[in-house]
């Protein structure tokens, strides 16, 4: 068997997609090991999920640093020490400094709730509904220095239903994401 992929997960919030990655590892659908879960938000529920799965956690709280650069320096230091195969952004709501991206070329992945290059940034489901889109979905991509702009690795689509709301789209897109992210990671593991 090939060596498990060594991952570091960065998150800021609920962590439901991260938990789907953990479940895939536990169910041996994904040959990977999570070295550390890092959050910029000390009260992110994703940290609780990590602890329940006995994973190591680290909080690098942006608010404790006098400026954004010091936060990014601390994050980079932690990532360099861990030296994972991949840094997996899973609901991490900050833009990484170019310096971090250059330190890990093609080793930082993100999942974004739209069919990029459409709808980078926030509030994707609202914007999809307002534009009357018929198709929506999610994208896994390499992270570059732009906003949700790196090369696309995989996408998964759904059909927007007439009765869809922001909440229903968020829920349905997250279901796609929970399947897609572990599958993409497993492709790298192979
Ligand atoms: C996911 O929908 C992910 O695509 C999105 O945050 C959510 C995290 O959900 N990421 C972004 O918007 C990044 N631009 P979770 O906290 O329940 O895992």
């Amino acid at each position: 068997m090939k060596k498990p992929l060594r991952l570091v997960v960065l998150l800021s919030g609920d962590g439901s997609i991260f938990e789907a990655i953990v479940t895939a590892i536990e169910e041996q659908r994904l040959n990977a090991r999570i070295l550390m879960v890092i959050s910029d938000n000390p009260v992110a529920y994703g940290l609780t999920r990590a602890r329940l799965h006995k994973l190591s956690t680290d909080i690098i709280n942006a608010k404790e640093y006098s400026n954004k650069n010091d936060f990014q320096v601390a994050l980079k230091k932690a990532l360099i020490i861990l030296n994972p195969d991949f840094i997996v952004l899973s609901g991490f709501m900050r833009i990484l400094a170019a310096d971090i991206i250059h330190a890990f070329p093609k080793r930082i992945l993100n999942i974004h709730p739209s069919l990029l290059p459409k709808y980078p940034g926030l509030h994707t489901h609202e914007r999809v509904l307002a534009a009357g889109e018929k198709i929506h979905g999610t994208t896994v991509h390499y992270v570059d220095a732009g906003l949700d702009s790196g090369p696309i690795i995989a996408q998964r689509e759904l059909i927007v239903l007439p009765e869809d709301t922001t909440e229903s789209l968020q829920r349905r897109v997250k279901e796609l994401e929970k399947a897609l992210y572990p599958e993409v990671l497993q492709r790298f593991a192979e």
Side-chain angles (χ1 to χ4, degrees), residues 68-128:
K68 278 187 188 159
N69 185 55
D70 287 357
F71 163 75
Q72 299 273 353
V73 168
L75 182 57
K76 183 180 172 192
K77 210 185 232 176
L79 293 170
I80 296 235
I81 290 169
L82 290 160
N83 191 30
D85 295 322
F86 285 96
I87 297 163
V88 176
L89 309 192
S90 195
F92 185 67
M93 303 312 276
R94 282 180 189 277
I95 295 181
L96 292 177
D99 197 30
I100 296 183
I101 290 157
H102 294 143
F104 298 93
K106 288 239 166 169
R107 285 163 63 197
I108 310 179
L109 308 179
N110 183 40
I111 192 158
H112 179 77
S114 77
L115 295 172
L116 292 172
K118 282 186 160 182
Y119 306 106
L122 298 173
H123 310 301
T124 59
H125 311 303
E126 286 94 323
R127 288 152 65 206
V128 160

Coordinates of all heavy atoms in Angstrom, one line a residue, residues 68-128:
K68 N -1.8 41.9 9.9 CA -2.0 40.7 9.1 C -0.7 40.0 8.8 O -0.7 38.7 8.7 CB -2.8 41.1 7.9 CG -4.3 41.2 8.1 CD -5.0 41.5 6.8 CE -6.4 41.8 7.1 NZ -7.1 42.5 6.0
N69 N 0.3 40.7 8.6 CA 1.6 40.1 8.2 C 2.1 39.2 9.3 O 2.6 38.1 9.0 CB 2.6 41.2 7.8 CG 3.9 40.6 7.3 OD1 3.8 39.8 6.3 ND2 5.0 40.9 7.9
D70 N 2.0 39.6 10.5 CA 2.5 38.8 11.6 C 1.7 37.5 11.7 O 2.3 36.4 12.0 CB 2.4 39.5 13.0 CG 3.5 40.6 13.1 OD1 4.3 40.7 12.1 OD2 3.5 41.4 14.1
F71 N 0.4 37.6 11.5 CA -0.4 36.4 11.5 C 0.0 35.4 10.4 O 0.2 34.2 10.6 CB -1.9 36.8 11.2 CG -2.8 35.6 10.8 CD1 -3.2 34.7 11.7 CD2 -3.2 35.5 9.5 CE1 -4.0 33.6 11.3 CE2 -4.0 34.4 9.1 CZ -4.4 33.5 10.0
Q72 N 0.3 35.9 9.2 CA 0.7 35.1 8.1 C 2.1 34.5 8.3 O 2.4 33.3 8.0 CB 0.7 35.9 6.7 CG -0.6 36.4 6.3 CD -1.5 35.5 5.5 OE1 -1.0 34.4 5.1 NE2 -2.7 35.9 5.3
V73 N 3.0 35.2 9.0 CA 4.3 34.7 9.3 C 4.2 33.5 10.3 O 4.8 32.5 10.1 CB 5.2 35.8 9.9 CG1 6.4 35.3 10.5 CG2 5.5 36.9 8.8
A74 N 3.3 33.7 11.3 CA 3.1 32.6 12.3 C 2.5 31.4 11.6 O 2.9 30.2 11.9 CB 2.1 33.1 13.4
L75 N 1.5 31.6 10.7 CA 0.9 30.5 10.0 C 2.0 29.8 9.1 O 2.1 28.5 9.1 CB -0.2 31.0 9.1 CG -1.0 30.0 8.3 CD1 -1.6 28.9 9.2 CD2 -2.2 30.7 7.5
K76 N 2.8 30.5 8.4 CA 3.8 29.9 7.5 C 4.8 29.1 8.4 O 5.1 28.0 8.0 CB 4.5 31.0 6.8 CG 5.6 30.5 5.8 CD 6.3 31.6 5.0 CE 7.5 30.9 4.2 NZ 8.4 32.0 3.7
K77 N 5.2 29.6 9.5 CA 6.1 28.9 10.4 C 5.5 27.6 10.8 O 6.2 26.5 10.7 CB 6.3 29.8 11.6 CG 7.7 29.6 12.3 CD 7.7 30.5 13.5 CE 8.9 31.4 13.6 NZ 8.9 32.2 14.8
A78 N 4.3 27.6 11.2 CA 3.6 26.3 11.6 C 3.6 25.3 10.4 O 3.9 24.1 10.6 CB 2.2 26.6 12.1
L79 N 3.3 25.8 9.2 CA 3.1 24.9 8.1 C 4.5 24.4 7.7 O 4.6 23.2 7.3 CB 2.5 25.7 6.9 CG 1.0 26.1 7.1 CD1 0.6 27.1 6.0 CD2 0.1 24.9 7.2
I80 N 5.5 25.2 7.7 CA 6.9 24.7 7.4 C 7.3 23.6 8.3 O 7.9 22.6 7.9 CB 7.9 25.9 7.4 CG1 7.4 26.9 6.3 CG2 9.3 25.4 7.2 CD1 8.3 27.3 5.2
I81 N 7.0 23.8 9.6 CA 7.4 22.8 10.6 C 6.7 21.4 10.3 O 7.3 20.4 10.3 CB 7.2 23.2 12.0 CG1 8.2 24.4 12.4 CG2 7.3 22.1 13.0 CD1 7.8 25.1 13.6
L82 N 5.4 21.6 10.0 CA 4.6 20.3 9.7 C 5.0 19.7 8.4 O 4.9 18.5 8.2 CB 3.1 20.7 9.7 CG 2.6 21.0 11.1 CD1 1.3 21.8 11.0 CD2 2.4 19.8 11.9
N83 N 5.3 20.5 7.4 CA 5.7 20.1 6.0 C 4.8 19.0 5.5 O 5.2 17.9 5.1 CB 7.2 19.6 6.1 CG 7.7 19.4 4.7 OD1 7.3 20.0 3.7 ND2 8.6 18.4 4.5
P84 N 3.5 19.3 5.3 CA 2.6 18.3 4.8 C 2.7 18.1 3.3 O 3.3 18.9 2.6 CB 1.2 18.9 5.1 CG 1.5 20.4 5.1 CD 2.8 20.6 5.6
D85 N 2.2 17.0 2.8 CA 2.1 16.8 1.3 C 1.2 17.8 0.8 O 1.4 18.4 -0.3 CB 1.6 15.4 1.0 CG 2.6 14.3 1.4 OD1 3.8 14.5 1.3 OD2 2.1 13.3 1.9
F86 N 0.0 18.0 1.4 CA -1.0 19.0 1.0 C -1.5 19.8 2.2 O -1.8 19.2 3.2 CB -2.1 18.3 0.3 CG -1.8 17.9 -1.1 CD1 -1.4 16.6 -1.3 CD2 -1.8 18.8 -2.2 CE1 -1.0 16.1 -2.6 CE2 -1.4 18.3 -3.5 CZ -1.0 17.0 -3.7
I87 N -1.8 21.1 1.9 CA -2.5 21.9 2.8 C -3.9 22.0 2.3 O -4.1 22.4 1.1 CB -1.8 23.3 2.9 CG1 -0.4 23.2 3.5 CG2 -2.7 24.3 3.8 CD1 0.5 24.4 3.2
V88 N -4.9 21.6 3.1 CA -6.2 21.5 2.6 C -7.1 22.6 3.2 O -7.3 22.6 4.4 CB -6.8 20.1 3.0 CG1 -8.3 20.0 2.6 CG2 -6.0 19.0 2.3
L89 N -7.5 23.6 2.4 CA -8.3 24.6 2.9 C -9.8 24.1 2.9 O -10.3 23.8 1.8 CB -8.2 25.9 2.1 CG -6.8 26.5 1.9 CD1 -6.9 27.9 1.3 CD2 -5.9 26.5 3.1
S90 N -10.4 24.2 4.0 CA -11.8 23.6 4.1 C -12.7 24.6 4.9 O -12.8 24.5 6.1 CB -11.7 22.2 4.7 OG -12.9 21.6 4.5
G91 N -13.2 25.6 4.1 CA -13.9 26.6 4.8 C -13.0 27.6 5.6 O -13.3 28.1 6.7
F92 N -11.8 27.8 5.0 CA -10.8 28.7 5.6 C -11.1 30.1 5.0 O -10.9 30.2 3.7 CB -9.4 28.2 5.4 CG -8.3 29.1 6.0 CD1 -8.2 29.1 7.4 CD2 -7.4 29.8 5.3 CE1 -7.3 29.9 8.1 CE2 -6.5 30.6 5.9 CZ -6.4 30.6 7.3
M93 N -11.5 31.1 5.7 CA -12.1 32.3 5.2 C -11.1 33.4 5.1 O -11.4 34.6 5.4 CB -13.4 32.7 5.9 CG -14.4 31.6 5.9 SD -14.7 30.8 4.2 CE -15.9 32.0 3.6
R94 N -9.8 33.1 4.8 CA -8.8 34.1 4.7 C -8.0 33.9 3.4 O -7.8 32.7 3.0 CB -7.8 34.1 5.9 CG -8.4 34.7 7.1 CD -7.4 34.7 8.2 NE -8.2 35.1 9.4 CZ -8.4 36.4 9.7 NH1 -7.8 37.4 9.0 NH2 -9.1 36.7 10.8
I95 N -7.4 34.9 2.9 CA -6.5 34.8 1.7 C -5.1 34.6 2.2 O -4.6 35.3 3.1 CB -6.6 36.0 0.8 CG1 -8.0 36.1 0.2 CG2 -5.6 35.9 -0.3 CD1 -8.3 37.2 -0.7
L96 N -4.4 33.5 1.7 CA -3.1 33.2 2.2 C -2.1 34.2 1.5 O -2.2 34.6 0.3 CB -2.7 31.8 1.8 CG -3.4 30.7 2.5 CD1 -3.0 29.3 2.0 CD2 -3.2 30.7 4.0
A97 N -1.1 34.6 2.3 CA -0.1 35.5 1.7 C 0.7 34.8 0.6 O 0.9 33.6 0.6 CB 0.9 35.9 2.9
A98 N 1.1 35.6 -0.4 CA 1.8 35.0 -1.5 C 3.1 34.2 -1.1 O 3.4 33.2 -1.7 CB 2.2 36.2 -2.4
D99 N 3.6 34.7 0.0 CA 4.8 34.0 0.6 C 4.5 32.6 0.9 O 5.3 31.7 0.7 CB 5.1 34.8 1.8 CG 6.5 34.6 2.3 OD1 7.3 34.3 1.5 OD2 6.7 34.7 3.6
I100 N 3.3 32.3 1.5 CA 3.0 30.9 1.9 C 2.7 30.1 0.6 O 3.1 29.0 0.5 CB 1.7 31.0 2.8 CG1 2.0 31.7 4.1 CG2 1.2 29.5 3.0 CD1 0.9 31.7 5.1
I101 N 2.0 30.7 -0.3 CA 1.7 30.0 -1.6 C 3.0 29.6 -2.3 O 3.1 28.5 -2.8 CB 0.8 30.9 -2.4 CG1 -0.6 31.0 -1.8 CG2 0.7 30.3 -3.9 CD1 -1.4 32.1 -2.1
H102 N 4.0 30.5 -2.3 CA 5.2 30.2 -3.0 C 6.0 29.1 -2.2 O 6.8 28.4 -2.8 CB 6.1 31.5 -3.1 CG 5.4 32.4 -4.1 ND1 5.5 33.8 -3.9 CD2 4.7 32.2 -5.2 CE1 4.8 34.4 -4.9 NE2 4.3 33.4 -5.7
A103 N 5.8 29.0 -0.9 CA 6.5 28.0 -0.1 C 6.0 26.6 -0.4 O 6.7 25.6 -0.1 CB 6.5 28.4 1.4
F104 N 4.8 26.5 -0.9 CA 4.1 25.2 -1.1 C 3.5 25.1 -2.5 O 2.3 25.0 -2.7 CB 3.0 24.9 -0.1 CG 3.6 24.9 1.3 CD1 3.6 26.0 2.1 CD2 4.0 23.7 1.9 CE1 4.1 26.0 3.4 CE2 4.5 23.7 3.2 CZ 4.5 24.8 4.0
P105 N 4.4 25.1 -3.6 CA 3.8 25.2 -4.9 C 3.0 23.9 -5.2 O 3.4 22.8 -5.0 CB 5.1 25.3 -5.8 CG 6.2 24.9 -4.9 CD 5.8 25.1 -3.5
K106 N 1.8 24.2 -5.7 CA 0.8 23.1 -6.1 C 0.6 22.1 -4.9 O 0.3 21.0 -5.1 CB 1.4 22.3 -7.3 CG 1.3 23.1 -8.6 CD 0.4 22.4 -9.6 CE 0.1 23.3 -10.7 NZ -0.5 22.7 -11.9
R107 N 0.7 22.6 -3.7 CA 0.5 21.8 -2.5 C -0.6 22.4 -1.6 O -0.8 21.9 -0.5 CB 1.8 21.5 -1.8 CG 2.7 20.5 -2.5 CD 4.1 20.6 -1.9 NE 4.2 20.3 -0.5 CZ 5.2 20.6 0.3 NH1 6.3 21.3 -0.2 NH2 5.3 20.2 1.5
I108 N -1.3 23.4 -2.1 CA -2.4 24.0 -1.4 C -3.7 23.9 -2.2 O -3.7 24.3 -3.3 CB -2.1 25.5 -1.0 CG1 -0.7 25.7 -0.4 CG2 -3.2 26.0 -0.1 CD1 -0.3 27.1 -0.1
L109 N -4.7 23.2 -1.6 CA -5.9 23.0 -2.2 C -7.0 23.8 -1.5 O -7.0 23.9 -0.3 CB -6.3 21.5 -2.2 CG -5.2 20.5 -2.8 CD1 -5.8 19.1 -2.7 CD2 -4.9 20.9 -4.2
N110 N -8.1 24.2 -2.3 CA -9.2 24.8 -1.7 C -10.5 24.3 -2.3 O -10.5 23.8 -3.4 CB -9.2 26.3 -2.0 CG -10.3 27.1 -1.3 OD1 -10.7 26.8 -0.2 ND2 -10.9 28.0 -2.0
I111 N -11.6 24.3 -1.5 CA -12.9 24.0 -2.1 C -13.7 25.2 -2.0 O -13.7 25.9 -1.0 CB -13.5 22.8 -1.4 CG1 -14.8 22.3 -2.2 CG2 -13.9 23.0 0.1 CD1 -15.2 20.9 -2.0
H112 N -14.4 25.5 -3.1 CA -15.2 26.8 -3.1 C -16.6 26.5 -3.7 O -16.8 25.8 -4.6 CB -14.5 27.8 -4.1 CG -15.2 29.1 -4.2 ND1 -15.2 30.0 -3.2 CD2 -16.1 29.5 -5.2 CE1 -16.0 31.0 -3.6 NE2 -16.5 30.7 -4.8
P113 N -17.6 27.1 -3.0 CA -19.0 26.7 -3.4 C -19.6 27.5 -4.6 O -20.6 28.1 -4.5 CB -19.8 27.1 -2.1 CG -19.0 28.2 -1.5 CD -17.6 28.0 -1.9
S114 N -18.9 27.3 -5.7 CA -19.5 27.7 -7.0 C -18.7 27.0 -8.1 O -17.7 26.4 -7.9 CB -19.3 29.2 -7.2 OG -18.0 29.6 -7.5
L115 N -19.2 27.1 -9.3 CA -18.5 26.6 -10.5 C -17.6 27.7 -11.0 O -17.9 28.4 -11.9 CB -19.5 26.2 -11.5 CG -20.5 25.0 -11.1 CD1 -21.5 24.8 -12.2 CD2 -19.7 23.7 -10.9
L116 N -16.4 27.7 -10.3 CA -15.4 28.7 -10.8 C -15.1 28.5 -12.2 O -15.1 27.4 -12.7 CB -14.1 28.5 -9.9 CG -14.3 28.9 -8.4 CD1 -13.0 28.5 -7.7 CD2 -14.5 30.4 -8.2
P117 N -14.7 29.6 -13.0 CA -14.4 30.9 -12.5 C -15.6 31.8 -12.2 O -15.5 33.0 -11.9 CB -13.6 31.5 -13.7 CG -14.2 30.8 -14.9 CD -14.5 29.4 -14.4
K118 N -16.8 31.2 -12.3 CA -18.0 32.0 -11.9 C -18.1 32.1 -10.3 O -17.8 31.2 -9.6 CB -19.3 31.3 -12.3 CG -19.6 31.5 -13.8 CD -20.9 30.9 -14.1 CE -21.5 31.4 -15.4 NZ -22.8 30.9 -15.7
Y119 N -18.4 33.3 -9.9 CA -18.7 33.5 -8.5 C -17.6 33.2 -7.5 O -17.8 32.5 -6.5 CB -20.0 32.8 -8.0 CG -21.2 33.1 -8.9 CD1 -21.6 32.1 -9.9 CD2 -21.8 34.3 -8.9 CE1 -22.7 32.4 -10.7 CE2 -22.8 34.6 -9.8 CZ -23.3 33.7 -10.7 OH -24.3 33.9 -11.5
P120 N -16.4 33.8 -7.7 CA -15.4 33.8 -6.6 C -15.9 34.6 -5.5 O -16.9 35.4 -5.6 CB -14.2 34.4 -7.3 CG -14.7 35.2 -8.4 CD -16.0 34.6 -8.9
G121 N -15.3 34.5 -4.3 CA -15.7 35.3 -3.2 C -16.9 34.8 -2.4 O -17.2 33.6 -2.4
L122 N -17.5 35.7 -1.7 CA -18.5 35.4 -0.7 C -19.9 35.3 -1.3 O -20.1 35.8 -2.5 CB -18.6 36.4 0.5 CG -17.3 36.4 1.3 CD1 -17.3 37.6 2.3 CD2 -17.0 35.1 2.0
H123 N -20.9 34.8 -0.6 CA -22.3 34.8 -0.9 C -22.6 34.2 -2.3 O -23.4 34.7 -3.0 CB -22.9 36.2 -0.8 CG -22.5 36.9 0.5 ND1 -22.9 36.5 1.7 CD2 -21.8 38.1 0.7 CE1 -22.4 37.3 2.6 NE2 -21.7 38.2 2.1
T124 N -22.0 33.1 -2.6 CA -22.1 32.5 -3.9 C -23.6 32.1 -4.2 O -24.1 32.3 -5.3 CB -21.2 31.3 -4.1 OG1 -21.5 30.3 -3.1 CG2 -19.7 31.8 -4.0
H125 N -24.2 31.5 -3.2 CA -25.6 30.9 -3.4 C -26.6 32.0 -3.7 O -27.4 31.9 -4.6 CB -26.0 30.1 -2.2 CG -25.0 29.1 -1.8 ND1 -24.5 28.1 -2.6 CD2 -24.4 28.9 -0.6 CE1 -23.6 27.4 -2.0 NE2 -23.5 27.8 -0.8
E126 N -26.5 33.1 -2.9 CA -27.4 34.3 -3.2 C -27.2 34.8 -4.6 O -28.1 35.1 -5.3 CB -27.0 35.4 -2.2 CG -27.5 35.3 -0.8 CD -26.4 34.7 0.1 OE1 -25.6 33.8 -0.4 OE2 -26.3 35.1 1.3
R127 N -25.9 34.9 -5.0 CA -25.6 35.5 -6.3 C -26.1 34.6 -7.4 O -26.6 35.0 -8.5 CB -24.1 35.8 -6.4 CG -23.7 37.0 -5.5 CD -22.3 36.9 -5.0 NE -21.3 37.0 -6.1 CZ -20.1 36.5 -6.0 NH1 -19.6 35.9 -5.0 NH2 -19.3 36.7 -7.0
V128 N -26.0 33.3 -7.2 CA -26.4 32.3 -8.2 C -28.0 32.4 -8.4 O -28.5 32.5 -9.5 CB -26.0 30.9 -7.8 CG1 -26.9 29.8 -8.5 CG2 -24.6 30.6 -8.0

